[in-house]
């Protein structure tokens, strides 16, 4: 008995990020999520065989992965070699990738998106103008390296055209399930089409999709409803970044926007809300701030995933303090395919190389980051 007490006294306390979690119908073995990251290696918008290794490298039994942002239509693309899921060829190409994740015991969601005005005519069918909530272009001429080099003036969607875009998201979700994904995450963050409707510094409409908070959120919620009705709310998540100003998408009252959205989402009963910390203002920039996701976390009834510059220590703290159920890691998971194992033993991390994030090479900066060498 004394020996047992001594063992318990000296036992290593559990790492909060490495504790199990039940995500709806999915039993997770840990709380470290592979964040969605565009890697620009889906040639001609078709996922490639090298993605099988990339995603399976980052899969653990009971792990949760979210795919790169995947276009819902031929108007959804904003950079070369982004993946899509609107054609039969794309659906078939995703199947072996999803199978590889499932073979290792992972849960895999497909992030579906539309870039809206964050593109140029080179990526649009028939070189047409990009679509958006507005006809105001992004004023910056150079991107941060994650999308295209310049942005063409967009075309404001007519009110009668919006149902077609909603339907594109619905069909993309249906296709994702056909490809074998366990569910979808709707990309409502980072200045792309949905956020172009959500935020009042971009949305200058005067119809039922503009003006009031209720009207600006209407488009996003119509997509959520259509997708949930198609594949089941228990297979649907959404990503939001109310505090960020990516691609000149800012809001005058981001806290009110975030709270309105999570409270509205509750009525649909979706599986999770994935929200980006207010400290992440632009790509790669972590700023000090007093704002917090905690009010949104408390208001949302489902699983809450937090993202945005987390390390091991503050990820553990967020879970331990119940500020989030799961923590999504992007660049650290990109550079450390065995990130959960490294976090478990507090091992050193590989450094990521931003210069290789978006090159088209199927290996360099993609599947060549080293794993830990475990000495028996």
């Amino acid at each position: 008995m004394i020996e047992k007490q001594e063992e318990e006294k000296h036992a290593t306390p559990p790492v909060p990020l490495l504790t199990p979690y039940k995500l709806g119908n999915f039993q997770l073995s840990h709380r470290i999520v592979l964040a969605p990251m565009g890697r620009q290696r889906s040639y001609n918008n078709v996922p490639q065989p090298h993605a099988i290794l990339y995603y399976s490298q980052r899969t653990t039994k009971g792990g949760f992965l979210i795919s790169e942002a995947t276009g819902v239509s031929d108007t959804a693309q904003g950079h070369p070699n982004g993946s899509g899921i609107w054609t039969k060829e794309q659906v078939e190409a995703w199947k072996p990738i999803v199978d590889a994740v499932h073979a290792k015991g992972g849960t895999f969601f497909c992030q579906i998106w539309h870039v809206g005005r964050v593109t140029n005519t080179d990526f649009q069918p028939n070189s047409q103008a990009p679509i958006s909530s507005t006809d105001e272009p992004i004023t910056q001429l150079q991107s941060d390296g994650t999308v295209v080099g310049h942005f063409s003036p967009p075309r404001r969607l007519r009110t009668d055209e919006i149902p077609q875009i909603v339907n594109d998201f619905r069909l993309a979700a249906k296709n994702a399930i056909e490809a074998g994904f366990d569910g979808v995450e709707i990309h409502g963050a980072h200045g792309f089409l949905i956020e172009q409707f959500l935020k009042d510094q971009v949305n200058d409409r005067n119809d039922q999709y503009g003006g009031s908070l209720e009207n600006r959120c209407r488009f996003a919620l119509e997509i959520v409803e259509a997708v949930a009705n198609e594949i089941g709310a228990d297979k649907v998540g959404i990503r939001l970044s109310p505090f960020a100003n990516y691609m000149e998408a800012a809001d005058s009252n981001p806290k009110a926007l975030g709270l309105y959205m999570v409270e509205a989402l509750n009525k649909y009963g979706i599986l999770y809300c994935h929200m980006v910390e207010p400290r992440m203002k632009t790509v790669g920039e972590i700023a000090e701030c007093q704002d917090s996701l905690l009010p949104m976390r408390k208001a949302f009834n489902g699983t809450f995933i937090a993202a945005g510059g987390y390390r091991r220590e503050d990820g553990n703290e967020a879970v331990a303090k119940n500020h989030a159920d799961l923590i999504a890691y992007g660049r650290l998971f990109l550079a450390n395919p065995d990130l959960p194992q490294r976090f478990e033993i507090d091992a050193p991390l590989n450094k990521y190389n931003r210069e290789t994030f978006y090159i088209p090479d199927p290996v360099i900066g993609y599947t060549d980051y080293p794993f830990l060498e475990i000495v028996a």
Side-chain angles (χ1 to χ4, degrees):
M1 185 67 177
I2 294 174
E3 287 181 3
K4 185 177 181 182
Q5 288 175 342
E6 283 297 312
E7 286 177 10
E8 291 174 351
K9 186 167 68 174
H10 296 292
T12 303
V15 179
L17 284 168
L18 274 298
T19 55
Y21 181 79
K22 196 166 191 310
L23 175 66
N25 296 321
F26 310 105
Q27 184 60 55
L28 307 183
S29 60
H30 58 79
R31 298 166 185 251
I32 301 164
V33 179
L34 176 69
M37 291 176 286
R39 303 307 313 277
Q40 298 187 21
R41 288 165 169 87
S42 294
Y43 311 141
N44 297 315
N45 307 132
V46 178
Q48 297 295 308
H50 46 249
I52 297 172
L53 179 58
Y54 172 74
Y55 283 108
S56 64
Q57 282 180 333
R58 289 155 182 81
T59 304
T60 53
K61 183 175 176 57
F64 182 43
L65 297 80
I66 306 170
S67 82
E68 62 211 74
T70 303
V72 300
S73 71
D74 60 356
T75 68
Q77 298 302 319
H79 49 69
N81 301 320
S83 62
I85 199 160
W86 70 88
T87 71
K88 182 68 174 175
E89 180 186 12
Q90 292 162 345
V91 171
E92 291 302 313
W94 271 116
K95 286 182 177 179
I97 304 168
V98 178
D99 288 346
V101 171
H102 286 161
K104 293 185 70 174
T107 297
F108 201 11
F109 272 41
C110 182
Q111 189 190 63
I112 54 177
W113 77 333
H114 194 298
V115 298
R117 67 177 186 166
V118 187
T119 186
N120 67 44
T121 55
D122 292 343
F123 299 109
Q124 296 300 301
N126 304 313
S127 299
Q128 66 194 33
I131 58 174
S132 180
S133 63
T134 179
D135 56 11
E136 291 296 319
I138 298 173
T139 57
Q140 63 193 60
L141 294 179
Q142 294 297 319
S143 76
D144 53 21
T146 63
V147 282
V148 294
H150 70 278
F151 308 107
S152 301
R155 177 180 68 82
R156 184 194 309 269
L157 278 165
R158 299 191 313 269
T159 307
D160 65 345
E161 292 178 300
I162 291 177
Q164 177 59 54
I165 310 303
V166 174
N167 195 53
D168 288 341
F169 275 87
R170 180 189 67 81
L171 291 173
K174 180 181 179 182
N175 287 344
I177 298 303
E178 183 183 340
F181 283 101
D182 299 295
V184 301
E185 175 178 286
I186 298 164
H187 196 342
H190 296 167
F192 300 114
L193 182 61
I194 291 175
E195 201 172 71
Q196 290 160 31
F197 277 83
L198 289 174
K199 293 191 170 179
D200 61 12
Q201 303 302 294
V202 182
N203 187 335
D204 55 3
R205 305 176 72 92
N206 56 15
D207 60 4
Q208 64 263 44
Y209 293 94
S212 68
L213 195 52
E214 179 183 5
N215 283 355
R216 285 184 281 118
C217 294
R218 189 184 308 278
F219 177 58
L221 295 173
E222 285 182 351
I223 290 172
V224 169
E225 182 174 25
V227 169
N229 286 344
E230 179 64 40
I231 66 171
D234 60 340
K235 300 181 184 69
V236 178
I238 189 169
R239 194 178 211 206
L240 301 170
S241 60
F243 294 95
N245 58 6
Y246 291 82
M247 300 302 161
E248 300 177 7
D251 193 81
S252 61
N253 193 341
K255 188 172 291 186
L257 173 61
L259 276 171
Y260 182 90
M261 275 298 294
V262 296
E263 289 168 353
L265 290 168
N266 283 335
K267 73 176 183 179
Y268 300 105
I270 64 171
L271 180 62
Y272 71 80
C273 180
H274 179 183
M275 199 167 279
V276 180
E277 287 282 359
R279 62 188 176 185
M280 297 301 293
K281 294 298 184 182
T282 60
V283 175
E285 176 194 351
I286 301 178
E288 293 296 325
C289 67
Q290 300 303 313
D291 294 312
S292 170
L293 298 182
L294 197 55
M296 293 75 162
R297 193 276 192 275
K298 290 180 177 177
F300 186 63
N301 293 340
T303 290
F304 193 84
I305 305 175
Y310 276 95
R311 308 291 295 189
R312 180 181 186 271
E313 294 74 18
D314 52 359
N316 279 325
E317 182 180 13
V319 172
K321 291 184 175 180
N322 201 29
H323 289 180
D325 298 302
L326 307 172
I327 305 294
Y329 290 87
R331 290 162 293 181
L332 294 188
F333 221 148
L334 179 157
N336 297 272
D338 51 358
L339 189 66
Q341 183 181 14
R342 290 178 189 255
F343 276 5
E344 183 173 15
I345 62 176
D346 200 11
L349 300 180
N350 299 324
K351 296 186 184 303
Y352 55 81
N353 180 3
R354 185 176 291 278
E355 292 181 0
T356 63
F357 280 4
Y358 309 109
I359 64 173
D361 193 283
V363 176
I364 297 173
Y366 193 59
T367 57
D368 60 346
Y369 282 103
F371 286 73
L372 280 172
E373 292 184 13
I374 305 296
V375 178

